[in-house]
Amino acid sequence: MLVGQDGIIIAADSQTHIPEETVGALASSIMGNVRKSLEMLKQTPLKQVTVEASQGKFFLTDTEVGILVVSAESNVNMGLVRLEIKNAASKLKNS
């Protein structure tokens, strides 16, 4: 899913039971809060936030066109997911 910084969905192909609008709004809120926190710590720019929960993981990646949101099962290989996210972000940048 690709979400604007304002939480508006740009593109989605979601297979979760959570409504896309909810995911978009939460992704925008989480990224905004983490970005402000990192600015206070002088640790910018924000690249990625990973949220791990009992039923899965969410990867929120800041790209030039918006926030790339990837949901995955809790037992996913995080290294492979991050590699795929890096490749997708690069394609978004070049399109």
Side-chain angles (χ1 to χ4, degrees), residues 1 4 6 12 18 24 26 30 33 41-43 45 56 59-60 64 71-72 76-77 84 86 88 90:
M1 175 183 301
D6 57 1
I18 305 168
L26 290 173
I30 291 167
N33 287 326
L41 295 169
K42 298 184 182 352
Q43 296 291 318
F59 299 84
L60 312 174
E64 291 182 11
S71 62
V76 71
N77 182 323
E84 290 295 325
K86 182 178 178 181
S90 178

Side-chain angles (χ1 to χ4, degrees), residues 1 3 7 9 17-30:
M1 175 183 301
V3 178
I9 296 170
H17 63 280
I18 305 168
E20 292 173 348
E21 294 80 13
T22 301
V23 175
L26 290 173
S28 174
S29 176
I30 291 167

Side-chain angles (χ1 to χ4, degrees), residues 51-66:
V51 179
E52 297 184 44
S54 61
Q55 295 181 0
K57 294 180 170 79
F58 285 91
F59 299 84
L60 312 174
T61 306
D62 199 17
T63 70
E64 291 182 11
V65 293

Side-chain angles (χ1 to χ4, degrees), residues 34-53:
V34 173
R35 188 175 288 109
K36 287 177 188 174
S37 297
L38 288 176
E39 287 171 1
M40 291 173 63
L41 295 169
K42 298 184 182 352
Q43 296 291 318
T44 58
L46 170 61
K47 294 181 181 180
Q48 185 177 73
V49 173
T50 303
V51 179
E52 297 184 44

